[in-house]
Amino acid sequence: QSVLTQPPSVSGAPGQRVTISCTGSSSNIGAGYDVHWYQQLPGTAPKLLIYGNSNRPSGVPDRFSGSKSGTSVSLAITGLQAEDEADYYCQSYDSSLSGYVFGPGTEVTVL
Amino acid sequence: EVQLVESGGGLVQPGGSLRLSCAASGFTFSTYWMSWVRQAPGKGLEWVANIKQDGSEKYYVDSVKGRFTISRDNANNSLYLQMTSLRAEDTAVYYCARDRITAYGGSDYWGQGTLVTVSS
């Protein structure tokens, strides 16, 4: 059972907007630790998509955005494209575990 | 260009040992925390361990404490993971990752991974 919770899957038609939530607790997100999002395409290594809750690394399309409210954060993908089909993971630091924790991952399907 | 290349994976029997290596290039290795993250077949990501720039601080997920040891050689730009008393549940692809400069800032570069299979 993951410390962070995410929906197992989300789906949308091309061009639509989808959001993925990531909920934590007072020892991680609620304690103020940043959340980071990773995209993992099938058969490849994870790629940093969003860092520090809402920042995009160079090269990441602005279709991807992150936000935070309390102990929950969200990743939004606007203008959904077929190439966005992947697994998405949130990550934060947990002070009670003294280490990083990942959410269970969300599979995004483009209909 | 930042590159991280893992090696050392393979098939090992339960109770056995294995040492993973990660060769880093394209950045000043000695100035970054480094992490190992694993992914069991068909499962999600699990952070395993990380190590401070000079090796003076190391942290582990509870499930590997006392069995795995993370280390680094800054002179040779290399990261290691010594794994002992291996169990079937340690079967996974192990990724080497560079942590961002910002504390608790996530990992910005990842290797391609090396597969460890623990089975008799």
Side-chain angles (χ1 to χ4, degrees), chain B residues 59-72:
Chain B
Y59 299 94
Y60 301 90
V61 67
D62 282 349
S63 59
V64 309
K65 284 179 182 175
R67 300 188 301 122
F68 290 12
T69 301
I70 188 172
S71 62
R72 64 192 297 161

Side-chain angles (χ1 to χ4, degrees), chain A residues 3-24:
Chain A
V3 173
L4 304 178
T5 59
Q6 298 178 236
S9 62
V10 299
S11 61
Q16 284 191 330
R17 179 179 186 268
V18 297
T19 61
I20 302 170
S21 61
C22 175
T23 302

Side-chain angles (χ1 to χ4, degrees), chain B residues 73-119:
Chain B
D73 180 349
N74 288 341
N76 289 298
N77 297 330
S78 294
L79 178 71
Y80 304 102
L81 187 66
Q82 179 69 48
M83 304 185 295
T84 64
S85 302
L86 282 161
R87 307 165 180 167
E89 53 264 36
D90 296 317
T91 294
V93 173
Y94 285 74
Y95 295 102
C96 162
R98 187 184 85 168
D99 288 357
R100 291 182 59 249
I101 284 290
T102 306
Y104 315 118
S107 301
D108 56 0
Y109 286 92
W110 298 62
Q112 85 288 347
T114 186
L115 176 62
V116 173
T117 303
V118 184
S119 174

